[in-house]
Amino acid sequence: MENKTLVDALIQDGLIGEVEGRKVLQEAALARRPVDEMIYEQRLVDEEKLAIAKGKLLNVPYRKIDPQDIDDETLKLFPEESVRNYKIIPLSIKDDLLVAGMINPDDAHAQEALKFIAKQRRLNVGAYIVTPSLWETVLRRYSPYRSLIDEAIKASASIAAKGSGPVQTVRLEETKGANADETPIIRIVSTTLKEAVWEKASDIHIEPQRNRSRIRFRIDGELREVSAFPLVLHSLIVSRVKILANLKIDESRIPQDGRFRTVLFGRDIDYRVATFPTPVGEKVVIRVLDPSTGLRGLEDLGLRGKNLATVKSGIEKPYGVILITGPTGSGKSTTLYALMQLLNKDDVNIVSLEDPVEYYMDGLNQSQVKPEIGYDFASGLRQILRQDPDVIMVGEVRDEETAALTIQAALTGHIVLSTLHTNNSVGVIPRLIDMKVQPFLLPAALNLMLAQRLVTRLCQQCKVGELAPPQVAEIIARELGRLSADARGVYPVSGPYTVYHSPGCEACKGKGVSGRLAVFEVLAMTPEMERVINAGATESAILEEARRQNIVTMHQDGILKALEGMTSIEEVLRETVEM
């Protein structure tokens, strides 16, 4: 199947734009890779729709499969090596027909492997095209994490007997060149890194305790222990991580920072490593930067309705500052990247200053600041204007100098994206004035003030509705009554109201939650806001103007999402406050 043929079919079906199609064709040609892999990695087209389009061109039907329907006996039909190397999976066997799933039905090697397996068992074979995510799910069932870790720990018994000695440097992702003692350590680390990506963990904690070492993943904002091993192995595992991140393995007295990149499940995954000395050994935290979870559209983040319309209107302006505010860990950087994806076009020069660069995006000119050598946000902003930018992204407005330069950059005709620490959107203007920005500059420079918080997303498979308790119903009614009819949507001012909870099921592994989403409030600069600023810009006056704009506050946005069953009302009431 030719790359151009697939792209033409996707354009004809309205699944991808012509500009995007040409761009991904060029990238596939330069990388010498199939265009469907590039489209999947960049999430340009829903993988199911992509599979259907491929199937039509190859005359192979697409089939949607629940991985739970594939039993263990069926899995044994295919060796793990065949599943991994040829991207084929067994789906079912009935009578003398073996049904297989293939990501690339036109791959001659995959076809030969499938025929060989069927011939061995004297079976006829039929094939469907399946999605990469289904293949990844099935592949993972061949190598469960805990059993692999247990095997590696048993294999490292000889190390425990010897005690922790010096570790030789090994190659980045291979055991080739490593001695027999090092191989299980390499396996523990590589398996843990893969499992973290699979579980959609944001962080990996490798922590020494008094009698053991443990590994914890942060998933959906919560830490949970996933493995433990003898303390004698801890320094060896830390050394392996340091080798991957190019850190000094003989320095354990001071913290170190590094990063490395690898390809897992067909995606470029970045790992950011930070070590920290403790009395019983070095603690290591690894931030997992997976573009499939970190690079998402505004709607995927939870921005919708009036808030989404206000943001899209704001970024269409030719210049001005868009500030995203919220506490640490509230998803501000993810929203910044979503905005940059919208602005990222061939005729736009986007330059960013980040600390650190979290996700590498094609088409952007990203730079990591290094305050220790004098290259901070302020000095970077002075230099960045010489790069002829159309859009500037500054990781954070931390001080008076950066605030002043950010405003000046907007006033000289640039779109500037950045973050700030305030409790809500109403606090942005007073905070900038507190940072010595001249108030009369703000109306001309500021476009949008966007505040956000993260809440857990209910599992949509097992959520159940129930009538809201009277006290909660009163809060819901009061907040809906303050919204305009357009913002309120289908929900009446008076009840009854249905709220949702998820008891847990097989899909969410009994947790009841599946990921997180953000609640937002978006405040725009208006002529009325300019008069408020010129009159003194008190928070109460800004809040009055916000109400005149009929903004949907984070509290109200959360309530609307709770009524839709996206999150629980208790989570909203815990994470947000009334304005």
Side-chain angles (χ1 to χ4, degrees), residues 70-84 88-91 117 121 134-145 147-148 151 198:
I70 307 172
D71 58 44
D72 292 339
E73 288 302 314
T74 303
L75 288 181
K76 291 176 183 176
L77 294 170
F78 287 15
E80 180 183 352
E81 293 77 12
S82 297
V83 173
R84 186 181 301 277
I88 57 176
I89 55 174
L91 298 180
I117 293 170
R121 290 170 171 76
L134 175 66
W135 170 75
E136 290 172 6
T137 303
V138 173
L139 176 61
R140 185 170 177 268
R141 286 176 61 184
Y142 283 91
S143 305
Y145 174 64
S147 62
L148 282 176
E151 287 175 16
W198 182 260

Side-chain angles (χ1 to χ4, degrees), residues 143-150 191-192 195 215 217 226-227:
S143 305
Y145 174 64
R146 288 186 182 276
S147 62
L148 282 176
I149 291 293
D150 289 342
T191 304
T192 299
E195 182 72 8
I215 297 176
F217 290 170
V226 295
S227 183

Side-chain angles (χ1 to χ4, degrees), residues 10 25 99 106 111 151 160 220 247-248 303 347 353 382 394 436 523 541:
L10 294 173
L25 267 176
V99 180
D106 55 334
Q111 291 170 6
E151 287 175 16
D220 297 337
L247 302 179
K248 296 178 182 177
L303 202 58
D347 59 348
L353 294 170
R382 290 193 198 92
V394 183
K436 304 296 188 291
L523 183 60

Side-chain angles (χ1 to χ4, degrees), residues 239-400:
S239 293
R240 174 60 185 168
V241 174
K242 284 183 173 181
I243 288 167
L244 292 174
N246 200 26
L247 302 179
K248 296 178 182 177
I249 61 173
D250 59 346
E251 177 58 81
S252 59
R253 300 165 300 171
I254 59 173
Q256 296 186 69
D257 293 312
R259 70 188 301 160
F260 61 96
R261 173 184 289 190
T262 188
V263 177
L264 289 177
F265 308 120
R267 306 192 295 273
D268 285 333
I269 310 294
D270 279 287
Y271 297 96
R272 207 169 71 216
V273 178
T275 68
F276 186 75
T278 76
V280 288
E282 285 182 282
K283 171 182 165 68
V284 177
V285 175
I286 306 172
R287 171 63 58 87
V288 182
L289 300 170
D290 182 353
S292 70
T293 58
L295 297 179
R296 293 187 286 173
L298 293 175
E299 292 90 340
D300 295 332
L301 298 177
L303 202 58
R304 55 180 55 205
K306 187 175 188 300
N307 283 339
L308 178 62
T310 305
V311 169
K312 286 189 172 179
S313 174
I315 63 173
E316 287 173 0
K317 294 183 179 178
Y319 61 88
V321 181
I322 298 173
L323 283 175
I324 303 170
T325 182
T328 302
S330 60
K332 299 188 297 296
S333 295
T334 304
T335 304
L336 275 181
Y337 280 104
L339 291 173
M340 286 195 291
Q341 285 187 100
L342 284 178
L343 295 166
N344 187 15
K345 298 172 184 173
D346 287 341
D347 59 348
V348 175
N349 181 23
I350 302 178
V351 186
S352 74
L353 294 170
E354 305 177 49
D355 186 19
V357 175
E358 292 198 12
Y359 298 100
Y360 293 102
M361 290 177 61
D362 289 336
L364 268 61
N365 303 286
Q366 297 169 270
S367 180
Q368 181 164 324
V369 298
K370 297 181 180 178
E372 65 272 13
I373 60 171
Y375 179 44
D376 54 16
F377 286 129
S379 61
L381 263 172
R382 290 193 198 92
Q383 297 297 324
I384 213 170
L385 295 175
R386 300 175 185 174
Q387 296 297 317
D388 185 32
D390 299 299
V391 178
I392 300 170
M393 193 278 262
V394 183
E396 184 182 345
V397 176
R398 293 178 178 171
D399 51 50
E400 295 175 7

Side-chain angles (χ1 to χ4, degrees), residues 1 6 47-64 87-89 91 98-108 110-111 114 125-131:
M1 179 180 63
L6 176 60
E47 65 170 357
E48 191 172 323
K49 294 177 180 176
L50 179 61
I52 292 171
K54 280 177 61 179
K56 286 180 181 176
L57 289 174
L58 298 171
N59 201 26
V60 178
Y62 165 74
R63 185 173 178 185
K64 187 172 184 178
K87 296 187 176 179
I88 57 176
I89 55 174
L91 298 180
L98 169 63
V99 180
M102 307 178 74
I103 291 181
N104 300 309
D106 55 334
D107 183 344
Q111 291 170 6
L114 195 55
V125 65
Y128 288 98
I129 192 167
V130 295
T131 60

